Amino acid sequence: MPSHFAWIDFSDTERQRMMDVIRLFRQEDTRDELGIRSIRDAFANHFFPGTSTIQTRARYMLFIPWIYRSLEKRMVSSREIAEVARNEELKLIKVLRKTDDTRGVIGIDAGNRLQRLPSSIYWAGLGVWGIRLFPGSQDQYHRSLDGWYARRRNVVRDDDRQPVGLGLDENWHPGLPDPPRGWPKEADLRLTRDEASYLFERIMCLHRDSLLGFLVDVDADEYVDADCFWNHPIVESLPARLRNEITHARNFAETIHGAALLYNLMLSEACENEELIDHYRSALADWSDRIHSLWNELTQWHADRASFWSSRPLLAARIPSSTRDFVGEWCQWVFGGPRPDALAEDSVARDVITRRELWLKRTRARLVNPSALKAWGGASGSAKLDYRWSSVSIIVKDILDGLHGLQRDSQPEVQQRA
């Protein structure tokens, strides 16, 4: 059943909270219904290493190690660490809920019922950015702590209390800034200049040549809130190889969007929902206009599709042969078949979509399974790919605001705004 939202009051706080909920709901619209996740994630990981669609704000990259480092100092045991850490993360929700900027507070509505904690959301990214030095999973880290405490107790130290010889294996980057005064009873989502500089250093040290690296390495007045990263003015000044990869990502997103819209139109027709049928027919007409506006560039891209598959992001990923075949078949229809504006009625295009869903879902395919169709919510992967940009752009802005003093200085008693 489709979800419905209604305003219960018109305060700025409640309005912003509801917009955050709606934004997260819309993110579900990017579900991988046609099996192109491997391509999507290959580009997203290449451009924005360490990020994910469910990350919200940059300061969580510091909150998590601050929590765990404090628990290590207390020598919380392996048996207790998961529960104690969870309680600390739940306390953090209550603290952040009281601040004047609650956008992106994870668990603000769920509270103690929160199932996926920020630590699990950011764990992989902390490793990719070199903030987390422990090489394993979160559960492996928990189980390792008793042994780690024992090694610390037995290490030989000099007169200055420094380890002798090979020293200690550290779980967290030694340059991690200390939490601010008042932590953890006081906290908000704004980065201090020192904290932003640290995150900037981690990105530039390990991922300088990524698009993320270029985006955080700009002056404050160069930041723009672009709807898509390929429309960001910084793209014009990027190295040619990265520009070409961005073009590949954009052209793929533009082209494959039609397949997602056709799939949703076919589901709407199967449900006999006239409102949704009109919606997706209109969306397909807009898509066709967009394809025609880019026709020369897209047809050249399709003609040289070997360069797409041999680009760095896709070479480094394991793209299933079935996915390559589906993308090739779809692109061949778009650029070698009838005009794209005939998409809604074309039996060949519809057959491509039907066969793809059957391949992926077998008996659970909505187009052939009435029970699965009944559970359809009205939108399944119908949004155009943005490769995490909606999340990444917020994290980038957090870092730039902190770097350029747009939030506050590092010292709590000095409030400074540009």
Side-chain angles (χ1 to χ4, degrees), residues 3 30 33 57 118 123 227 275 287 405 411:
S3 299
T30 63
E33 296 289 347
R57 301 293 294 270
W123 189 261
D227 57 342
E275 183 178 358
W287 171 80
Q411 295 301 320

Side-chain angles (χ1 to χ4, degrees), residues 249-270:
R250 185 202 70 171
N251 290 345
F252 177 71
E254 298 285 4
T255 303
I256 207 66
H257 189 207
L261 294 174
L262 178 57
Y263 173 61
N264 280 271
L265 172 61
M266 294 167 66
L267 293 176
S268 302
E269 293 171 343

Side-chain angles (χ1 to χ4, degrees), residues 58-281:
R59 212 178 189 204
Y60 278 104
M61 286 286 191
L62 301 174
F63 287 156
I64 306 310
W66 284 343
I67 288 173
Y68 273 121
R69 198 168 61 173
S70 69
L71 299 184
E72 289 176 358
K73 289 180 179 178
R74 289 161 48 187
M75 298 185 68
V76 177
S77 70
S78 291
R79 181 174 58 84
E80 300 173 318
I81 188 72
E83 181 179 357
V84 175
R86 174 181 173 81
N87 290 336
E88 292 300 313
E89 292 188 63
L90 295 178
K91 290 177 184 177
L92 179 61
I93 296 173
K94 297 177 182 178
V95 173
L96 295 176
R97 187 184 285 149
K98 299 176 183 177
T99 62
D100 59 358
D101 180 8
T102 59
R103 293 169 299 164
V105 174
I106 298 172
I108 191 170
D109 294 311
N112 291 345
R113 302 186 311 276
L114 182 64
Q115 295 298 310
R116 186 163 188 187
L117 296 168
S119 56
S120 69
I121 292 172
Y122 283 80
W123 189 261
L126 287 165
V128 174
W129 285 15
I131 299 172
R132 171 177 56 82
L133 301 183
F134 180 82
S137 69
Q138 192 174 8
D139 186 56
Q140 289 171 329
Y141 164 71
H142 291 163
R143 296 199 306 266
S144 75
L145 283 176
D146 286 346
W148 187 73
Y149 297 144
R151 290 193 298 277
R152 289 182 68 87
R153 286 193 298 267
N154 296 330
V155 72
V156 178
R157 298 177 182 272
D158 61 22
D159 292 341
D160 296 323
R161 302 299 301 160
Q162 296 302 311
V164 175
L166 295 178
L168 294 170
D169 51 327
E170 295 293 341
N171 293 321
W172 307 100
H173 186 260
L176 181 72
D178 291 330
R181 203 171 305 162
W183 166 269
K185 294 182 179 179
E186 298 176 11
D188 59 45
L189 290 166
R190 296 170 297 179
L191 291 167
T192 68
R193 185 176 286 113
D194 286 347
E195 293 164 4
S197 295
Y198 172 74
L199 295 180
F200 171 81
E201 178 271 332
R202 291 285 78 211
I203 293 171
M204 297 306 286
C205 179
L206 298 175
H207 307 290
R208 174 183 295 273
D209 295 329
S210 69
L211 178 55
L212 179 64
F214 284 99
L215 286 167
V216 298
D217 192 21
V218 299
D219 293 332
D221 56 2
E222 292 182 30
Y223 174 80
V224 297
D225 190 15
D227 57 342
C228 300
F229 62 85
W230 48 80
N231 292 332
H232 197 291
I234 198 176
V235 172
E236 298 177 2
S237 62
L238 296 175
R241 193 175 188 182
L242 185 54
R243 286 203 314 272
N244 289 338
E245 292 159 352
I246 291 172
T247 299
H248 282 311
R250 185 202 70 171
N251 290 345
F252 177 71
E254 298 285 4
T255 303
I256 207 66
H257 189 207
L261 294 174
L262 178 57
Y263 173 61
N264 280 271
L265 172 61
M266 294 167 66
L267 293 176
S268 302
E269 293 171 343
C271 290
E272 299 181 346
N273 186 316
E274 293 298 328
E275 183 178 358
L276 288 175
I277 291 172
D278 291 342
H279 169 74
Y280 285 114
R281 284 186 178 275

Side-chain angles (χ1 to χ4, degrees), residues 23-60:
R23 181 175 67 84
L24 291 173
F25 177 76
R26 286 175 175 165
Q27 285 181 353
E28 295 183 359
D29 199 24
T30 63
R31 287 171 295 184
D32 181 37
E33 296 289 347
L34 295 177
I36 57 172
R37 174 183 301 155
S38 56
I39 298 175
R40 178 198 66 195
D41 290 353
F43 279 112
N45 290 335
H46 181 70
F47 295 139
F48 310 119
T51 65
S52 75
T53 56
I54 53 177
Q55 290 176 359
T56 56
R57 301 293 294 270
R59 212 178 189 204
Y60 278 104

